Every structure is written in structure tokens, then in C-alpha cells.
Amino acid sequence: MNLVPFLLYIVAFAAYGWHFARRDPAVGRIATTLLVFAALSHTFVIGMQTMEAGRVPIGGPISATSTFVWLLTLSYLYVEMTTEERAMGVFVLPLLIALQSIPAFRTAVENRSPVLQSPWFGVHVSSLLFAYASFALACVIGITYVLLFKEIKAKHLGVFYARLPSLQVLDRMNQRAIMIGWIFLTVGVVVGGIWAAEARAYAATDPRVQAMSLLDPKIFVALLCWIVYSFELFAARRIGWGGRRAAYLSALGFAIVLLNLVPVSYFLTKSHNF
Amino acid sequence: MHLLLIGLSHKTAPIELRERVDFQARGIARALEAVASSSTAREAVILSTCNRAEVYAACDDLARARADVTAFIGGFHGVERADIVPHLYDVSDLQVARHLFRVTSGLDSLVVGEPQILGQVKEALTAASEAQTVGPVLNRLFHASFAVGKRVRTETGLGSGAVSIGYAAVALAKKIFGEMQGRHVLVIGAGEMGKLTALHMKSQGASQITIISRTMAHAARTAEAIGGSAAPWDEMDTALAASDIIITATGAPSPILTKARIEAVMRRHRNQPLFLVDIAVPRDVEPAASEIEQVFVYNIDDLQATVRENLARRTSEVARAEAIVGDEVGKFDAWFRSRGAIPTVVALRQRFETIRRSELERLDFKMAALPPDARARVDEITHLIVEKLLLMPTEQLKALGDAQTVGAYAEALTRLFGLAEPTAADPRTEDDAADQAVGDTRVARVEPFSPRESRVRSGRQSGPG
């Protein structure tokens, strides 16, 4: 079922690419419309799965990835509609397509482990997924910032100069996305900690609960993320590390997020392999 | 009805002649009045900029109007016929549309794609509207040209990219800071070039301009001229730290802003972006300064290079713009042709209306007993029936393409309904009525322009006027 939004994302990407190349406003509107359709079909898929499982499909790495892509699409559409800037679409869509290719070709198995019955579960996973979606946007905005920065600095005004909004606007968007992401990351991590402590009481024999420690890769990498983004926010405000350095940090932060979202979830973690 | 254009531009006439044929200087209103009274043109618009002087006219007899308008241009400016005629171009009908569309798109401008011309064409139409020399044909033509100008600017890169040093600096500043509002500009050196660039920044919204010069009096004079403030030379570091954009234009033999000095400024600046525009030769900013994070240094050669690149890019967009112009000329052509059937449409409507009225009058005594609102209803219903009956024939006539078919239809209708030639007491009101009859909605869709806005636009942008 995840195949339909996947294909629509590819079509929307083609339209965004065409819009980026030709700068035709009509094509831009078509691209947005296609992405809205992709988001709607994805909403439908997630809605069906929610009805089937009785809760949002986030209990397992494959369905969580699909939900993450869906959240990222919605966040991107929100940014696009509030800023009227479409140039970023061509950078966001490849990420959506790459991630959506995981649920598109595999069936998600919803985990029904008793540990996941806690009400904390929904808050923990959805706030982290939302935080990661914000960081993904921050990363894309940061990349475009660096591309534009390099063009202006090198006095070679070309493709990005003609299409992207100003450095100031990109910097502000980046900071806002990181701020929002950081808040949700903090909430998600704190809730996770509380939940793990509670779970020890009622599911002490579960090997995954026993593995919940700061040294477990999933938890360790999440905390690393938190440190990177906290530093970014501090540095941008206190020591004038805005602009390009902030952009590089947001790219680094998201690389860590991706690491946590895909390989760590699949192969390394002992505590989060639900 | 024919369209006629006679004029001269930077492509056909030397500056000496263009200066003499300046409608703006002698008063457009007067000129419009003169052309309306002295020629057989039924509608007229005069477009006058420093690069062109053109008279657009709608007329019935092309040859006579051509002679009239040519004589008017020479006569109005007191230029000998022999001096002006070799420099005039004259085109008619669809070629007029093509020419005007190219003009408003900026394709015919000295600097291809310059933005001012669209505002100037709008002003020309406003002046003619005020002088009441515009009718449906030129009104339609000019509004179509505004749409073409807009289309070319949004769909092609013809008007994109700065093509003067001042524009290039402002465009870069906007790409760095987002907007000029709230930006502090510091000008070092009180020369003409720095002053012009600062003025440009101010007109784009820069909130504060400070001038520093070695001679305080000089700085104060320049500051007064552009509405900024002056600061003494030895307070430069304070001024540097408070600025976002610094324009340097001194005659100093060696750089005044060294890398070390700017590094110190950046520390006080909390690493906010700093944009240095160095238009001095020899340079005022040490080239190594651009190595500092968040510092953007552009010297006069860099700016000139972007200007050259932009000009080249504009040239490469010409073909796309010409294609749009061709497309729009085609649309205008369809409308223009549909006007061939207008006299017939008008006559047909007049005929139907006459019959309706005479029948209502004939039956008046029978309706005398009816209450007033019922009589009004009868009037309304009969009117609606006539409208309904005429709708299809009107649409069909409007859609006719070539003159021959139009003639055949006209003759058939004249015989079938016993139509007389429409009573042409006032050709303009007839045209208006016909226009309503042809019922085109496209004019209404063209964005209504405000003359004030266009004046602001052309006033704000300096460039070849």
C-alpha cells in the first residue's frame, strides 16, 4: 500500500525538478498539487493502517519510517505554503523518495509487545519522529544555505542565486526548524526515560527493557543528536555561529538522525528492536 | 478600422533629433489634443520616453491618417519634414500590436528587458484616457500589451539580473540580508559613485545611511543631499561596527579596510553578515578580507562581471520572449478580426430593438390596464427574448475569421433583416456599444492598473529612461 505514495512522490519530484530548471510558476503549482496528492494518499494509507492496528502505525522500523516520511511531507508543505518558496522541494523530495522506498517494498509488521501498550509509547515515538522531520528540513535548508553562500562568496552567481531565497531567510528558517525539532527531541527523550523506568517495573524480564541504558546504540546516538543540536542553538545565539556553521551543524545533526533511523534500528540496537 | 503607428526611437534617430521630438517636454495632453483635432485618427495614444517618441492611432483611412500623423509630429515640434521623415518608422494593423508588445516587454529597449518601460506605457495610456483620445481599440491593444509585458517578465529571464553597478549591489545585498529595511549603510568617501549607490540603497528601503569622508564638511554636504548623516573620519571603527553594508569609494592609494581591521569589526558585529562594496580604484578593501567568515567583498570588477553575465543571460532569453509576443499577437489578431463583423452586429441589434420598441408601443393601449410593475415585467421579458435570440448569431459572427466570409454574412443578414447601415452619429459610442455586443470579457480580466503605482515604480528605478 505504501507503493502509491512512493510513486506519487517520484512524479512530484519530477515536477519540482522541472520547476527548478525552468522557473515556470505554473509548473511550480502543478508540483505542489502533485505533492499534496501524494500526501493525501499517504494520509489514507496511514489512516487505513491506524484503523487496522487500532493505533498510529509506529510500532516497528518500517511503519515508523513511513510515518516519518508522511510527517516530513506535511512539514515541508507547511513551510512551502507559508514562505511561498518552492525551490527547496527539489532537495526535500529525494529524501522522501529514498526513505519511502523502505516501506514501499516491504510489509510492515506491527509489534504488539506488552511493553508497547503504555500510553507513553505514542508520545515518545511521535514526538521523536516529528523532531526528526524538523531536523530533516533544517538539514535541507542548511544545504541550500551553503550552496547559496558559496556562490555569493565565490562571486559566481548562478543557479542557486537565481532560485533560492536570501541567506538571511534561509538562516532564519534553519534556526526555527532546529528550535522546533530540539523541543520535540527533548520531550521524546525525557518521555522515553520515564517510560523505560516504568517498564522495568512491569516487564523486567523483557531483554529489550534490560538493554535500555545510555550505552545502547539507539539511545546513545539519540543523546548525541541532542548534544549536537543543543550546541548549535547555543552557538548561534551566544557566539555568533549563525549562517554557514549552523548550516553545517544541522547537516551533521541530521546525518546522525538518519544513522539512528535506519541502520541502528535495523542492525545494532538491542533495546529498540520491536 | 486600422491600427497605425508612426514614431522614432533610439534605433532610428540620433539623440539630437530625439531631444527635439520630445512630447513629454511640450506636454502630452497638448499633443494629444493637437493630434485629435488635426488628424483623421479616431483614437490616439502618445508614448514618449527619452529613447522613443511614438504615436499610436486607430483610423478608418490608413493613408490619410498616415499623412496626418506624420505632418503632426513634424509640425508639433517644429522640425522640417525632410529632417524627420527619414528617421520615422510607420507600421500598420497587426505590426502595430507586435511592435507595442515588443516595446512593453523590453525587447525594443536600449538595455534589453529594462523594467521602466512598462510603467511608461501605462502612463501613456493614462494620459490618453484623461485627454479622452482612447477608444475601445487602443484600450484593448494597450491592456493586451501590459499583459504581454507581465507574461514576459514572469515567464522568461528577460528582465532578470541587475544590469547596472548600483542595481547589482542592491540585488546582492538583498540576497544576503533578505530585505533592505532596517539595514545600516556606511559610505566611505563622498564621491559621486558612492553617493549614487547609497541613494539606490536608500530608495530600496535601507533605514540609515552614514557618510564618512576625510573632510567632514564634504561628508556633511553629501549626507544632506541624500538624507543621511555624516560621521568624522576618526570614528570610522564605531561606524563600521554598526553597519551591515559598507560602500567604499575613496581615492586612497592603499586599502583603508585591511583584513585585521575587518576581523576586529566582525567581533563587535557578533558575526552578523557584512557586505562590502568596493567601488574605488585602487581598491579600498584588502582582498584577503573576503577570507573572513560572513564577510562578502565585491569590488567594481566583480560587479561589472555580474552585470555582463546578466546582460548575456538576457540576450539568451530573447527568443523565448519573442515567442510569447508572437503568441499574444495571434490572440490580439483574433479579437481584431472579430471586429470586422461589428457594424453588422450593431445593425442587427438596432433592428431587433426597434421592432421590440415599436411593438410595445403598438400594444401600449392593451397594457394600459396593467399595473406598473407588470408593465415593467413585460418590458424586461421582451428584452430578454431579444437578447436570447441574438446571442447565437452574435457569437457566430464574432468567431468569423477572414474578411470575405464576414462580408458574405453581412450581406446575407442585411438582406434577410432589411438592415440599414448603422447610424454613425458618434463613432465612439457606436464602438462602445459594439464592444458590449461582442461581449468580450478579456479586457476586464487584465489587471486594472493604477497610474500612481506605475509612477512610483518608474520613479524608483533609475536607468536609461
Side-chain angles (χ1 to χ4, degrees):
Chain A
M1 257 216 302
N2 270 302
L3 192 63
V4 177
F6 175 67
L7 294 177
L8 279 170
Y9 286 132
I10 292 178
V11 177
F13 174 54
Y16 273 101
W18 188 19
H19 169 63
F20 191 80
R22 295 292 305 270
R23 276 187 288 168
D24 186 339
V27 178
R29 283 191 290 275
I30 292 172
T32 306
T33 314
L34 285 169
L35 188 58
V36 168
F37 273 113
L40 284 177
S41 72
H42 207 163
T43 310
F44 178 74
V45 169
I46 287 178
M48 291 298 280
Q49 287 170 346
T50 307
M51 276 159 65
E52 211 176 309
R55 61 147 195 262
V56 183
I58 44 180
I62 292 171
S63 50
T65 309
S66 170
T67 307
F68 170 72
V69 171
W70 177 69
L71 278 171
L72 181 54
T73 308
L74 294 185
S75 313
Y76 169 71
L77 278 172
Y78 171 75
V79 171
E80 188 193 289
M81 283 168 183
T82 49
T83 58
E84 303 258 318
E85 294 290 350
R86 283 202 178 85
M88 232 83 75
V90 79
F91 299 93
V92 175
L93 266 292
L95 182 65
L96 295 179
I97 293 167
L99 287 171
Q100 183 65 12
S101 69
I102 299 172
F105 298 105
R106 303 173 80 166
T107 358
V109 185
E110 271 304 293
N111 199 295
R112 296 181 177 281
S113 160
V115 184
L116 302 187
Q117 299 309 317
S118 162
W120 293 116
F121 170 69
V123 182
H124 172 68
V125 179
S126 45
S127 52
L128 284 179
L129 285 182
F130 191 72
Y132 293 164
S134 299
F135 292 147
L137 276 183
C139 167
V140 169
I141 295 164
I143 290 170
T144 56
Y145 181 98
V146 172
L147 292 171
L148 179 58
F149 184 95
K150 286 198 165 158
E151 276 196 357
I152 297 181
K153 195 88 170 179
K155 300 167 186 179
H156 187 80
L157 311 176
V159 181
F160 303 109
Y161 183 83
R163 288 164 178 82
L164 292 175
S166 67
L167 288 177
Q168 184 85 6
V169 166
L170 289 172
D171 193 30
R172 227 180 289 144
M173 283 163 74
N174 178 279
Q175 291 299 320
R176 201 175 305 158
I178 287 179
M179 192 67 210
I180 292 169
W182 183 84
I183 292 169
F184 279 91
L185 179 65
T186 311
V187 171
V189 167
V190 169
V191 167
I194 297 170
W195 178 30
E198 271 187 12
R200 271 184 226 286
Y202 63 83
T205 51
D206 192 318
R208 291 174 294 212
V209 176
Q210 285 169 349
M212 294 281 174
S213 79
L214 292 183
L215 290 176
D216 179 79
K218 185 93 181 177
I219 300 172
F220 178 75
V221 177
L223 287 174
L224 189 65
C225 257
W226 189 87
I227 292 168
V228 169
Y229 285 112
S230 303
F231 175 72
E232 209 257 53
L233 286 174
F234 165 79
R237 275 163 187 69
R238 291 293 154 153
I239 50 177
W241 267 40
R244 185 158 62 149
R245 289 175 182 130
Y248 279 136
L249 277 179
S250 58
L252 171 72
F254 187 66
I256 301 172
V257 167
L258 268 186
L259 187 76
N260 216 3
L261 204 63
V262 186
V264 171
S265 292
Y266 276 97
F267 310 115
L268 297 174
T269 183
K270 290 192 174 60
S271 63
H272 278 70
N273 51 351
F274 290 105
Chain B
M1 185 79 87
H2 292 281
L3 284 169
L4 172 70
L5 155 66
I6 298 183
L8 49 82
S9 75
H10 60 96
K11 291 192 172 162
T12 62
I15 179 82
E16 294 76 20
L17 183 61
R18 296 207 303 273
E19 274 168 359
R20 289 177 69 193
V21 185
D22 185 353
F23 286 104
Q24 206 96 50
R26 283 170 212 267
I28 298 276
R30 255 187 61 212
L32 284 164
E33 205 176 297
V35 75
S37 61
S38 73
S39 78
T40 52
R42 282 165 57 164
E43 300 177 27
V45 174
I46 294 177
L47 174 62
S48 170
T49 73
C50 52
N51 286 327
R52 68 182 68 245
E54 293 175 339
V55 179
Y56 290 83
C59 57
D60 290 321
D61 185 341
L62 207 50
R64 270 183 65 194
R66 186 176 288 140
D68 288 346
V69 173
T70 310
F72 156 75
I73 296 176
F76 188 74
H77 295 287
V79 182
E80 283 299 316
R81 197 182 157 78
D83 291 342
I84 193 167
V85 167
H87 299 286
L88 289 177
Y89 41 78
D90 86 78
V91 289
S92 56
D93 294 336
L94 278 191
Q95 290 312 311
V96 177
R98 182 174 298 277
H99 181 89
L100 181 62
F101 291 178
R102 292 188 77 249
V103 167
T104 41
S105 309
L107 280 166
D108 202 50
S109 298
L110 191 60
V111 178
V112 172
E114 60 103 358
Q116 248 184 318
I117 186 69
L118 188 55
Q120 288 164 334
V121 177
K122 284 182 177 179
E123 276 171 34
L125 182 67
T126 311
S129 300
E130 278 162 11
Q132 293 181 331
T133 60
V134 186
V137 178
L138 287 188
N139 204 30
R140 172 69 178 230
L141 174 72
F142 273 73
H143 276 103
S145 82
F146 304 152
V148 181
K150 243 183 118 176
R151 236 192 107 184
V152 166
R153 279 171 181 81
T154 51
E155 291 178 27
T156 74
L158 195 72
S160 72
V163 288
S164 74
I165 299 284
Y167 262 118
V170 170
L172 272 162
K174 282 188 174 170
K175 215 57 185 181
I176 295 169
F177 297 108
E179 68 233 349
M180 294 300 289
Q181 276 74 19
R183 299 294 153 209
H184 289 197
V185 179
L186 173 68
V187 184
I188 304 176
E192 198 55 31
M193 191 68 184
K195 184 175 143 187
L196 278 177
T197 314
L199 257 179
H200 209 64
M201 301 235 169
K202 193 176 167 71
S203 75
Q204 296 289 313
S207 59
Q208 197 182 316
I209 312 260
T210 309
I211 317 272
I212 285 191
S213 172
R214 273 187 214 278
T215 23
M216 184 63 189
H218 209 147
R221 211 175 321 123
T222 313
E224 200 183 337
I226 64 172
S229 55
W233 186 261
D234 47 359
E235 280 173 27
M236 193 190 295
D237 281 324
T238 322
L240 287 172
S243 309
D244 304 297
I245 299 161
I246 299 166
I247 302 165
T248 58
T250 75
S254 61
I256 30 174
L257 299 182
T258 57
K259 188 183 174 190
R261 191 168 192 180
I262 294 168
E263 266 170 347
V265 168
M266 286 308 279
R267 276 193 288 278
R268 291 170 67 184
H269 212 250
R270 296 197 49 191
N271 277 317
Q272 288 301 301
L274 184 67
F275 180 33
L276 293 157
V277 184
D278 185 3
I279 46 181
V281 179
R283 287 178 285 183
D284 280 339
V285 181
E286 195 180 19
S290 67
E291 290 161 17
I292 306 168
E293 184 77 26
Q294 297 285 66
V295 173
F296 303 91
V297 184
Y298 274 71
N299 63 39
I300 188 112
D301 281 4
D302 303 328
L303 292 171
Q304 243 145 19
T306 69
V307 165
R308 267 197 305 277
E309 253 175 60
N310 289 337
L311 278 173
R313 201 170 318 128
R314 283 185 180 199
T315 315
S316 71
E317 289 290 288
V318 164
R320 281 176 71 196
E322 294 279 11
I324 292 176
V325 166
D327 183 32
E328 295 286 337
V329 168
K331 286 187 199 164
F332 184 78
D333 182 33
W335 178 82
F336 197 56
R337 273 167 200 252
S338 77
R339 290 186 54 85
I342 279 177
T344 316
V345 172
V346 171
L348 194 63
R349 296 182 77 86
Q350 278 180 356
R351 180 90 184 116
F352 274 52
E353 184 62 18
T354 317
I355 294 172
R356 187 179 78 92
R357 282 194 186 284
S358 68
E359 284 306 294
L360 281 177
E361 262 168 44
R362 202 168 60 77
L363 296 171
D364 198 40
F365 73 95
K366 283 191 181 171
M367 297 196 294
L370 295 177
D373 61 327
R375 295 181 59 155
R377 190 68 57 83
V378 171
D379 188 70
E380 195 186 318
I381 290 169
T382 51
H383 177 74
L384 279 175
I385 292 173
V386 167
E387 286 293 317
K388 271 271 152 64
L389 285 171
L390 283 171
L391 185 66
M392 186 58 101
T394 307
E395 292 279 322
Q396 291 294 331
L397 281 168
K398 203 177 101 180
L400 293 178
D402 64 308
Q404 218 176 347
T405 329
V406 169
Y409 269 80
E411 205 191 318
L413 284 167
T414 309
R415 281 205 197 168
L416 286 172
F417 290 97
L419 303 181
E421 280 295 300
T423 46
D426 181 355
R428 259 170 215 153
T429 45
E430 173 218 313
D431 267 345
D432 289 341
D435 235 37
Q436 279 168 10
V438 172
D440 215 311
T441 50
R442 281 208 15 225
V443 174
R445 253 188 30 222
V446 174
E447 171 189 88
F449 68 90
S450 108
R452 237 179 86 232
E453 180 195 273
S454 63
R455 227 165 270 144
V456 168
R457 174 189 295 199
S458 55
R460 255 178 26 196
Q461 289 160 337
S462 70

